[in-house]
């Protein structure tokens, strides 16, 4: 059976009649049946050849055991997720099937060969997944079928601790209505669908408002179905809790309350945070969880992040006037640094204890979960003594810390002395902003996790997780990481890669294909953190994706080995004759071409700026033309990929029920991946290497820059960067309100186009570089 094209897979409604995806609610009477249902949706009738059994006794470590005899596969495991993981491990290790965001490969033989008994266990009780930001960068337009598929993906990859953040606006709305907020005040409070995570974390309020009521109700209904499926599989969904942020309208109605006006995050306006010492805090926190439980049922793990990229107001006197200002980040950081250490520790301890109590009062026995990102992102404030104080009065068994950033901030858990007995999860963010350059570091992940499990100073390490801000990119990274978490990647990387490619493409890779992929790993997958995304405090995955500036001439090369990347792409193209009809191979080839050509465009940008600056207009024009030719050819090629500007905006449009909602969702979607919002430096943070973005946004923006730069060079006048930036910001906002870049065509010969594009880069190198 050929691989399944994800675009066709989704358009077909996930083959609801054959796989049961039209009925999202979990119908399984027990975990074994729920696991069997996942398998049935994945491989269809072949799932009847798999017998799943739960072990009668629980074990300290999750495990699964597989064995194939007489054409049947028997799988025993410690829990339902272990069963699905065991089935997936068998299928991938035999090359029979694989599941990824871009599509599935199913090639189960008519008769399954015998396979000896294999037992795998994970050293991690929990395998966590998702980031609070994922619910803005990826999922705002997901429907029931798409969520069902993602939960199946989680189960097959052995994940049992997912974040479950959908649907909470319905509860927040009910809470604030009870507190006397009017419908107009509520409409001004909630931010647009693609920006809800930062609303929830207290970074923003009312951006791109109002949030349509239809969206709130759809997400309410969706969350009920998400939780039913997760719970049927024995997963532990992490649910939201109250972290202290309140609407401005609530603060104005309570002048007597200890509410701080927090800093204006990334150019947005300030938000408002209620001191946990104020009696209102416990009241609001408890009522939120009561309302949440009424709608969605009780949970065991609740996420409350009070200080996401916001410093705790420890320097403020809690006895001071209500609604006091804490809005200047620099001034307050300086004040906190001068504060008596004992007083700072006391206030942090008070905050930690009160946040825990706010969960415990409403859900006795529940675990307070928080992300540990702040301990790395605000390292100067969160020194070891500050972390210790914050955790000091929370019972060890009632707290879990998600130490998500070990690919960027690897010293948090050691500085925190492994969080002093608290349960904690070790993991990586990997993807920021849902942006999609080709990167990861397979060797680092292997060595890092092996070293972690051997250490004796990890305290109450309870799990491992991957916490991407966005999904649908670099599938190999996530396949490898969850294989590592289950001991399925213990052999050499070469052996793992052979099995991965066999499962992904449905046939054993040739020596040439193996060599090509090994070169690709050497070129692109030895990069732990994508440094260009935040170059000179300016966002964008590549230079081409950043708002144009004259100092772009100083931009260095993208991470990895660009020359080796070109060789890897050439080697992949040599394998294309045998695999040109294999959807997943063509997808991978185009991703590699995209990454290489984007680097080529970046190099030409710097050369063009230097040429114009030196007065060499002819050379600048030639490079400018080359940039445009490459960008347009690449944009056309990317029409083969499932994710495009059109697919993103179509999903947003389809989510609306009225013309007004449809238009609002599309504008919201286009804003997030470009201007983002506010007056800070978040523009292009969620940049996307998609069809439509190269041709309609990035290229026209750079062409405007080169036009002005050329005019300045020809007139021998200084280039006015400020004037250009002001003008291009107006253009960007006009683009958000347009439909530019949508409705483009899919290539009929993607492999041929990829070959031609690579030949084009070589020709231009010889002529103008």
């Amino acid at each position: 059976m050929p691989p399944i094209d994800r675009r066709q897979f989704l358009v077909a409604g996930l083959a609801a009649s054959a796989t049961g995806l039209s009925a999202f609610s979990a119908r399984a009477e027990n975990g074994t049946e729920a696991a069997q249902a996942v398998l049935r949706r994945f491989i269809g009738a072949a799932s009847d050849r798999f017998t799943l059994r739960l072990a009668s006794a629980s074990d300290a470590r999750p495990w699964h055991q597989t064995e194939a005899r007489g054409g049947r596969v028997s799988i025993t495991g410690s829990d339902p997720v272990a069963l699905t993981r065991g089935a997936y491990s068998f299928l991938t290790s035999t090359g029979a099937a694989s599941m990824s965001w871009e599509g599935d490969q199913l090639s189960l033989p008519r008769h399954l060969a015998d396979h000896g008994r294999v037992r795998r266990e994970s050293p991690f009780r929990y395998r966590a997944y998702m980031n609070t930001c994922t619910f803005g960068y990826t999922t705002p337009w997901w429907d029931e079928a798409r969520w069902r598929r993602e939960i199946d993906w989680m189960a097959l990859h052995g994940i049992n601790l997912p974040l479950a953040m959908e649907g909470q606006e319905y509860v927040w709305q009910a809470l604030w209505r009870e507190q006397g907020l009017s419908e107009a005040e509520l409409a001004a409070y909630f931010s647009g669908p693609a920006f809800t995570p930062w609303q929830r974390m207290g970074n923003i309020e009312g951006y791109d408002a109002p949030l349509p009521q239809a969206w709130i109700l759809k997400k309410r209904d969706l969350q009920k179905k998400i939780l039913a499926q997760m719970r049927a599989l024995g997963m532990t969904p992490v649910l939201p809790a109250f972290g202290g942020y309140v609407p401005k309208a609530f603060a104005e109605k309570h002048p007597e309350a200890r509410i701080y006006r927090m800093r204006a995050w990334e150019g947005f306006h300030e938000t408002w945070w209620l001191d946990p010492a104020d009696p209102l805090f416990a009241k609001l926190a408890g009522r939120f969880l009561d309302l949440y439980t009424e709608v969605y049922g009780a949970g065991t793990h609740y996420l409350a992040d009070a200080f996401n990229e916001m410093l705790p107001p420890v320097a403020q006197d809690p006895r001071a006037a209500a609604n006091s200002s804490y809005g200047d980040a620099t001034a307050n950081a300086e004040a906190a640094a001068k504060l008596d250490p004992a007083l700072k520790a006391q206030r942090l301890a008070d905050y930690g204890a009160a946040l825990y109590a706010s969960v415990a009062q409403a859900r006795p026995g529940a675990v307070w979960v928080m992300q540990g990102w702040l301990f790395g992102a605000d390292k100067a404030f969160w020194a070891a003594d500050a972390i210790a104080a914050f955790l000091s009065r929370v019972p060890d068994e009632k707290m879990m810390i998600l130490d998500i950033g070990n690919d960027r901030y690897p010293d948090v858990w050691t500085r925190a002395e492994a969080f002093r007995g608290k349960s904690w999860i070790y993991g990586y963010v990997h993807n920021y902003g849902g942006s999609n350059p080709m990167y990861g570091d397979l060797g680092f992940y292997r060595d890092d996790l092996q070293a972690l499990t051997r250490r004796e100073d990890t305290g109450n390490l309870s799990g491992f997780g991957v916490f991407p801000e966005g999904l649908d990119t670099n599938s190999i990274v996530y396949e490898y990481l969850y294989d590592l978490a289950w001991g399925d990647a213990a052999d050499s990387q070469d052996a793992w890669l052979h099995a991965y490619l066999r499962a992904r493409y449905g046939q054993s890779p040739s020596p040439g294909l193996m060599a090509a992929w090994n070169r690709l790993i050497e070129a692109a997958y030895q990069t732990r953190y994508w440094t260009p995304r935040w170059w000179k405090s300016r966002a964008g995955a590549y230079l081409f994706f950043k708002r144009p500036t004259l100092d772009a001439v100083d931009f260095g090369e993208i991470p990895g080995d660009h020359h080796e990347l070109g060789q890897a792409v050439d080697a992949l193209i040599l394998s294309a004759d045998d695999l040109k009809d294999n959807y997943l191979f063509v997808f991978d080839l185009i991703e590699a071409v995209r990454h290489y050509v984007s680097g080529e465009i970046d190099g030409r940008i710097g050369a063009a700026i230097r040429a114009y600056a030196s007065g060499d207009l002819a050379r600048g024009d030639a490079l400018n033309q080359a940039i445009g030719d490459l960008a347009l050819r690449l944009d056309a090629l990317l029409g083969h990929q499932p994710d495009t500007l059109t697919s993103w905006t179509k999903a947003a449009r389809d989510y609306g029920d009225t013309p007004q909602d449809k238009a609002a969702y599309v504008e919201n979607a286009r804003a997030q991946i470009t201007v983002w919002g506010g007056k800070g430096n978040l523009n292009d943070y969620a940049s996307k290497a998609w069809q439509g973005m190269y041709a309609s946004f990035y290229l026209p923006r750079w062409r405007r820059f080169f036009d002005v730069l050329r005019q300045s060079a020809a007139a021998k006048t200084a280039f006015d960067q400020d004037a250009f930036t002001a003008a291009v910001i107006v253009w960007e906002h006009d683009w958000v309100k347009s439909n530019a870049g949508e409705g483009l065509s899919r290539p009929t010969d993607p492999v041929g186009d990829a070959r031609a594009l690579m030949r084009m880069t070589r020709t231009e190198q010889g002529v103008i570089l």
Side-chain angles (χ1 to χ4, degrees), residues 584-646:
L584 291 174
F585 170 80
V586 175
F587 174 91
D588 292 340
L589 170 63
I590 292 174
E591 285 295 279
V593 171
R594 171 192 60 76
H595 189 51
Y596 178 76
V597 173
S598 296
E600 290 288 303
I601 291 171
D602 280 3
R604 285 162 171 76
I605 288 172
I609 294 173
R610 285 190 291 270
Y612 283 131
S614 69
D616 190 344
L617 301 186
R619 179 172 169 77
D621 290 345
L623 285 158
N624 190 0
Q625 181 65 43
I627 290 167
D629 291 345
L630 288 174
L632 292 173
R633 292 285 292 271
L634 180 57
D635 193 89
L637 176 63
L638 291 176
H640 178 81
Q641 306 301 69
D643 291 320
T644 64
L645 175 60
T646 296

Side-chain angles (χ1 to χ4, degrees), residues 68-84:
R69 289 285 182 272
R72 296 196 59 81
V73 182
S74 298
I75 303 174
T76 307
S78 56
D79 57 81
V81 168
L83 292 176
T84 54

Side-chain angles (χ1 to χ4, degrees), residues 456-744:
E456 297 181 354
D457 58 347
T458 54
N460 189 16
L461 174 63
S462 300
F464 166 76
V466 192
F467 304 95
E469 289 188 350
L471 310 179
D472 297 343
T473 179
N474 291 293
S475 284
I476 188 173
V477 169
Y478 299 86
E479 199 77 13
Y480 191 60
L481 282 168
Y482 286 111
D483 275 4
L484 286 171
W486 277 94
D488 278 327
D491 297 328
S492 70
Q493 182 174 290
D494 199 63
W496 180 87
L497 179 63
H498 188 280
Y500 170 75
L501 296 178
R502 182 186 176 199
R504 185 166 177 81
Y505 299 150
Q507 61 188 69
S508 291
S510 67
L513 183 59
M514 278 293 296
W517 261 97
N518 274 312
R519 297 192 86 153
L520 186 60
I521 288 172
E522 183 178 343
Y525 289 110
Q526 294 188 24
T527 300
R528 186 184 316 174
Y529 170 68
W530 191 255
T531 52
R533 78 178 189 93
W534 213 239
W535 178 72
K536 291 190 174 182
S537 296
R538 295 198 288 272
Y542 302 97
L543 177 60
F544 190 55
F545 293 4
K546 298 179 187 296
R547 184 178 289 159
T549 54
L550 198 61
D551 64 355
V553 69
D554 299 325
F555 187 81
E557 294 184 355
I558 62 174
D561 187 327
H562 187 67
H563 174 76
E564 184 69 12
L565 177 62
Q567 299 299 307
V569 175
D570 289 343
L572 284 172
I573 287 175
L574 290 176
S575 298
D577 288 340
D578 295 331
L579 291 166
K580 66 182 186 308
D581 296 324
N582 188 304
Y583 171 76
L584 291 174
F585 170 80
V586 175
F587 174 91
D588 292 340
L589 170 63
I590 292 174
E591 285 295 279
V593 171
R594 171 192 60 76
H595 189 51
Y596 178 76
V597 173
S598 296
E600 290 288 303
I601 291 171
D602 280 3
R604 285 162 171 76
I605 288 172
I609 294 173
R610 285 190 291 270
Y612 283 131
S614 69
D616 190 344
L617 301 186
R619 179 172 169 77
D621 290 345
L623 285 158
N624 190 0
Q625 181 65 43
I627 290 167
D629 291 345
L630 288 174
L632 292 173
R633 292 285 292 271
L634 180 57
D635 193 89
L637 176 63
L638 291 176
H640 178 81
Q641 306 301 69
D643 291 320
T644 64
L645 175 60
T646 296
S647 72
W648 174 245
T649 56
K650 182 181 185 302
R653 187 175 290 109
D654 290 348
Y655 214 76
D657 298 317
T658 67
Q660 294 79 11
D661 285 354
K662 288 176 182 291
Y665 293 163
V666 170
E667 185 173 327
N668 199 252
R670 291 173 70 95
Q672 190 215 72
I673 61 176
T674 52
V675 298
W676 213 100
K679 297 179 181 178
N681 54 8
L682 283 176
N683 58 281
D684 303 305
Y685 182 84
S687 59
K688 298 294 190 292
W690 288 346
Q691 183 193 51
M693 293 303 297
Y694 284 82
S696 80
F697 189 76
Y698 304 130
L699 178 59
R701 190 166 61 171
W702 276 102
R703 278 180 166 166
R704 295 173 73 87
F705 172 81
F706 284 129
D707 285 349
V708 176
L709 181 59
R710 190 186 194 284
Q711 292 169 11
S712 298
K716 298 185 169 127
T717 58
F719 176 79
D720 190 336
Q721 181 69 62
D722 290 341
F724 170 80
T725 299
V728 87
I729 288 173
V730 173
W731 176 85
E732 290 169 352
H733 284 268
D734 287 342
W735 182 93
V736 167
K737 293 177 171 60
S738 74
N739 63 354
E742 297 181 37
L744 302 179

Side-chain angles (χ1 to χ4, degrees), residues 1-4 38-44 46-47 49-50 84-100 103-109 112 149 153 156-157 479 483 496 498-508 584:
M1 182 182 298
I4 296 175
V38 171
L39 201 56
R40 188 176 306 114
R41 286 189 291 272
F42 180 37
I43 61 174
S47 63
R49 291 185 265 172
F50 288 71
T84 54
R85 174 63 202 185
Y88 191 67
S89 179
F90 173 84
L91 291 165
T92 56
S93 67
T94 58
S98 72
M99 173 185 270
S100 63
D104 300 343
Q105 185 283 122
L106 304 176
S107 56
L108 277 79
L112 293 171
R149 177 171 167 82
W153 184 93
L156 292 167
H157 287 79
E479 199 77 13
D483 275 4
W496 180 87
H498 188 280
Y500 170 75
L501 296 178
R502 182 186 176 199
R504 185 166 177 81
Y505 299 150
Q507 61 188 69
S508 291
L584 291 174

Side-chain angles (χ1 to χ4, degrees), residues 18-330:
T19 63
L21 290 180
S22 60
F24 190 93
S25 60
R27 296 190 296 265
E29 294 181 0
N30 56 53
T32 302
E33 291 184 13
Q36 191 79 46
V38 171
L39 201 56
R40 188 176 306 114
R41 286 189 291 272
F42 180 37
I43 61 174
S47 63
D48 292 341
R49 291 185 265 172
F50 288 71
T51 301
L52 309 182
R53 297 187 184 89
L54 283 174
S56 57
S58 61
D59 292 84
R61 289 185 170 189
W63 61 273
H64 58 76
Q65 181 175 283
T66 62
E67 184 176 18
R69 289 285 182 272
R72 296 196 59 81
V73 182
S74 298
I75 303 174
T76 307
S78 56
D79 57 81
V81 168
L83 292 176
T84 54
R85 174 63 202 185
Y88 191 67
S89 179
F90 173 84
L91 291 165
T92 56
S93 67
T94 58
S98 72
M99 173 185 270
S100 63
W101 291 310
E102 49 272 8
D104 300 343
Q105 185 283 122
L106 304 176
S107 56
L108 277 79
R110 187 176 300 275
H111 300 289
L112 293 171
D114 288 355
H115 195 279
R117 184 176 300 172
V118 176
R119 179 186 170 102
R120 293 275 190 248
E121 66 177 31
S122 174
F124 304 111
R125 176 184 176 189
Y126 294 110
R127 286 82 53 204
Y129 181 56
M130 285 201 176
N131 186 300
T132 52
C133 299
T134 315
F135 296 85
Y137 288 129
T138 300
T139 74
W141 325 117
W142 279 14
D143 59 12
E144 297 175 11
R146 183 63 187 87
W147 261 110
R148 165 58 72 88
R149 177 171 167 82
E150 194 68 18
I151 295 169
D152 286 352
W153 184 93
M154 295 180 203
L156 292 167
H157 287 79
I159 293 160
N160 68 345
L161 189 74
L163 296 193
M165 297 289 109
E166 299 280 36
Q168 58 183 284
E169 279 67 34
Y170 181 78
V171 183
W172 291 119
Q173 192 179 61
L175 175 68
W176 300 128
R177 278 178 177 149
E178 286 187 353
Q179 297 303 312
L181 268 68
S182 69
E183 295 305 305
E185 289 168 332
L186 286 171
Y189 174 61
F190 291 106
S191 298
F195 299 93
T196 52
W198 302 276
Q199 170 91 28
R200 297 163 182 170
M201 292 185 288
N203 301 117
I204 63 176
E205 175 180 323
Y207 177 69
D208 217 357
L211 180 65
Q213 187 66 22
W215 191 89
I216 293 173
L217 294 177
K218 280 186 178 181
K219 291 295 185 179
R220 175 201 62 187
D221 296 342
L222 182 60
Q223 178 73 343
K224 291 179 181 179
K225 297 167 184 176
I226 288 170
L227 292 176
Q229 178 65 11
M230 288 179 174
R231 288 164 173 162
L233 286 163
M235 294 179 178
T236 301
V238 178
L239 307 176
F242 179 71
Y245 289 93
V246 301
K248 181 180 180 180
F250 178 88
E252 291 173 342
K253 292 177 190 299
H254 292 274
E256 80 292 348
R258 296 174 185 170
I259 300 175
Y260 300 106
R261 187 171 71 248
M262 303 294 275
R263 78 177 179 93
W265 179 80
E266 297 296 342
F268 291 86
H269 62 72
E270 72 279 354
T271 55
W272 303 81
W273 187 70
L274 176 64
D275 193 314
D278 191 289
L280 275 173
F281 192 101
K283 175 184 175 182
L284 292 173
R287 185 58 182 149
F288 174 82
L289 289 181
D290 286 344
L291 289 168
Y292 194 93
T293 303
E294 289 175 14
V295 179
Y296 300 118
T300 59
H301 289 65
Y302 290 91
L303 180 76
D305 286 321
F307 309 117
N308 176 58
E309 298 181 0
M310 309 282 269
L311 294 182
V314 292
Q316 298 293 102
D317 186 345
R319 298 166 298 177
N323 293 324
S324 56
S325 175
Y326 196 71
D328 188 314
T330 301

